[in-house]
Amino acid sequence: MKVAVVGATGLVGTKMLQVLEERNFPVTELIPVASEKSVGKEITFKGKQYKVVSVEDAIKQKPDVALFSAGGSTSLSQAPLFAAAGTTVIDNSSAWRMDPTKKLVVPEVNANVLTAEDKIIANPNCSTIQMVVALKPLHDKYKIKRVVVSTYQSVTGTGVKAVDQLFNERKGIDGPKAYPYQIDLNVLPHIDVFTENGYTKEEMKMVNETNKIMGDDSIKITATTVRIPVMGGHSESVNIEFLNDFDVAELRELLAKSPGIIVVDDPANLKYPMPLDAHDKDEVFVGRIRRDESQPNTLNCWIVSDNLRKGAATNAVQIAEYLYANHLIGQAVEA
C-alpha cells in the first residue's frame, strides 16, 4: 500500500501519521506531502525518515490512497488530480462533504455505502462524527425525531495558532491571534463564520452532515457550537427526542455494545466523560445518560471524543482500513 498524506506537517496531518503507525496500517511506501515551503523537510514514520514532497511529485508516484488534511481550497484543486491518477482520496476538509456525488462517511455508521468507484471520499466535521457514532444505534432502535446539541469544542479544532494563542494568553504573552477575542478564561459562542440565518457554518455542518451520514432527512437537528479553552477533545450536550419510548438501562446497554463507543456513566462515583480522559483515544465516550423529564420519549446525554483523532485523523484511517479490508483499494482491486 502506497500511502500519501497531504498536509503531513500540520496538526491533523501529524496525527494521521501517528494513527497510521499505531494502528499498523499496511503502509509499504509513505509519501508525505505539504506546501512548497515544507518540501524537503523530513518527517519520521516508524523510525524511518521521509522527505516531504510536492503534490506534483506525489501524483507521479500513483499512491493507492491519499489522506488529505490541507484545507478546502487545496482539496478542491488537488484531490481531483490524485483521483484522475487512480488514487483514492479521503479528504478531511469541508470541500466535498455536501457534494451529492461524494460519500460522507463515518465507518461505524455508513461504511457500507463505499465502492471501488469512490475516488474522493469526504471525512465529516469533527463535532458531527462523534455525535453520529452515538446516534446511529439509537436511531436504529428507537427512531430519532429531533436532536438539540450544544458543543464545547477544544482549541485544537482551530489549529496550532489557536493552541499558541491559548497558552500565550495564559502566560501573559501578546502573540498572533486565531480568534477575535481572548480564549483563555473565556467562551466563544462562535465557530467558523456566521451565515444569513444567524447560525454559524459549524452549526449548519452539524445539521446537514448528520442528515447525509444517517441517510435520513426526517431527523430535525438544531445546534449551538461553542469554543472553550480546553485541549484533548470536544464535548457535546445532546438532547434526543425519539418516536418510540425507551428503557434507560436498556438504552445504556445498547450504547455500551455499539462499535466505537465507551459508556462512562456512573454519577454516584462521579464517573462521566471528560476531554482529558478522551485525549489520544479513538473511541467516543458517552455519559450523563438520563431521561428528559420535561417531555416524553426524550433523552439527555453527554458525548466526548478526541477531535484530532476520531474527529479527524482516526476516522480517515478507519475509512482506509475499511476500503483495504473489503478489497476496494490496493492490489486486490487491480487483481
Side-chain angles (χ1 to χ4, degrees):
M1 286 290 292
K2 206 184 274 193
V3 179
V5 175
V6 182
T9 57
L11 211 53
V12 174
T14 304
K15 195 60 74 173
M16 282 173 169
L17 293 166
Q18 182 189 332
V19 172
L20 284 167
E21 184 167 334
E22 282 177 16
R23 295 175 73 92
N24 212 22
F25 188 75
V27 180
T28 50
E29 195 176 326
L30 180 73
I31 309 165
V33 187
S35 61
E36 288 301 326
K37 69 176 188 290
S38 295
V39 169
K41 280 186 185 171
E42 290 200 332
I43 61 119
T44 307
F45 180 75
K46 290 197 169 180
K48 282 175 68 180
Q49 297 297 111
Y50 292 85
K51 272 199 164 54
V52 173
V53 302
S54 68
V55 166
E56 293 72 25
D57 284 347
I59 292 168
K60 283 177 197 159
Q61 294 181 58
K62 297 195 175 227
D64 296 290
V65 64
L67 304 180
F68 260 71
S69 188
S73 57
T74 302
S75 295
L76 283 173
S77 62
Q78 296 175 358
L81 303 177
F82 277 91
T87 300
T88 299
V89 173
I90 301 168
D91 179 50
N92 195 54
S93 80
S94 59
W96 306 99
R97 289 177 188 156
M98 295 315 296
D99 183 326
T101 68
K102 305 291 183 285
K103 309 285 173 60
L104 183 66
V105 175
V106 177
E108 295 91 338
V109 179
N110 66 335
N112 60 312
V113 301
L114 291 168
T115 69
E117 283 69 51
D118 293 311
K119 287 302 176 193
I120 299 177
I121 300 160
N123 208 33
N125 185 42
C126 46
S127 47
T128 305
I129 289 174
Q130 66 188 68
M131 184 170 77
V132 297
V133 168
L135 293 184
K136 168 68 172 159
L138 300 180
H139 186 53
D140 288 348
K141 174 96 177 175
Y142 307 109
K143 191 86 169 105
I144 295 172
K145 186 175 171 186
R146 181 171 185 253
V147 176
V148 182
V149 54
S150 298
T151 72
Y152 305 70
Q153 293 181 226
S154 160
V155 292
T156 56
T158 311
V160 175
K161 192 175 175 185
V163 175
D164 291 344
Q165 178 180 340
L166 173 61
F167 284 103
N168 281 339
E169 287 169 353
R170 200 151 281 191
K171 293 170 190 164
I173 298 166
D174 188 24
K177 301 275 193 287
Y179 303 118
Y181 299 104
Q182 176 179 320
I183 184 64
D184 189 30
L185 301 175
N186 200 14
V187 164
L188 304 180
H190 166 200
I191 298 178
D192 211 324
V193 298
F194 284 96
T195 61
E196 283 182 10
N197 65 358
Y199 288 81
T200 64
K201 270 177 80 176
E202 184 86 357
E203 288 157 356
M204 294 315 299
K205 283 176 195 173
M206 291 195 77
V207 173
N208 298 325
E209 292 179 19
T210 299
N211 286 144
K212 183 172 176 178
I213 297 160
M214 301 283 283
D216 192 339
D217 287 339
S218 74
I219 302 170
K220 304 295 180 199
I221 303 142
T222 188
T224 303
T225 59
V226 181
R227 189 72 68 190
I228 64 171
V230 302
M231 306 272 288
H234 293 346
S235 306
E236 299 172 347
S237 169
V238 188
N239 178 273
I240 311 161
E241 182 185 357
F242 300 104
L243 282 175
N244 303 303
D245 201 6
F246 57 89
D247 174 78
V248 174
E250 183 185 54
L251 182 148
R252 192 181 284 112
E253 185 66 20
L254 171 65
L255 285 171
K257 286 180 175 167
S258 298
I261 295 173
I262 293 178
V263 170
V264 183
D265 189 40
D266 183 8
N269 292 301
L270 309 186
K271 300 279 195 228
Y272 34 72
M274 294 181 290
L276 273 176
D277 299 323
H279 180 57
D280 249 352
K281 298 191 174 74
D282 288 331
E283 294 82 12
V284 171
F285 297 83
V286 185
R288 300 297 322 278
I289 298 165
R290 64 212 189 274
R291 189 177 285 280
D292 176 350
E293 296 182 346
S294 71
Q295 66 170 10
N297 304 353
T298 305
L299 179 83
N300 281 311
C301 64
W302 177 252
I303 301 170
V304 179
S305 192
D306 185 320
N307 55 293
L308 292 182
R309 288 187 68 106
K310 183 55 184 169
T314 301
N315 199 73
V317 172
Q318 286 176 314
I319 293 171
E321 287 172 343
Y322 178 90
L323 294 169
Y324 182 75
N326 289 277
H327 312 304
L328 303 176
I329 53 170
Q331 293 141 346
V333 178
E334 290 147 31

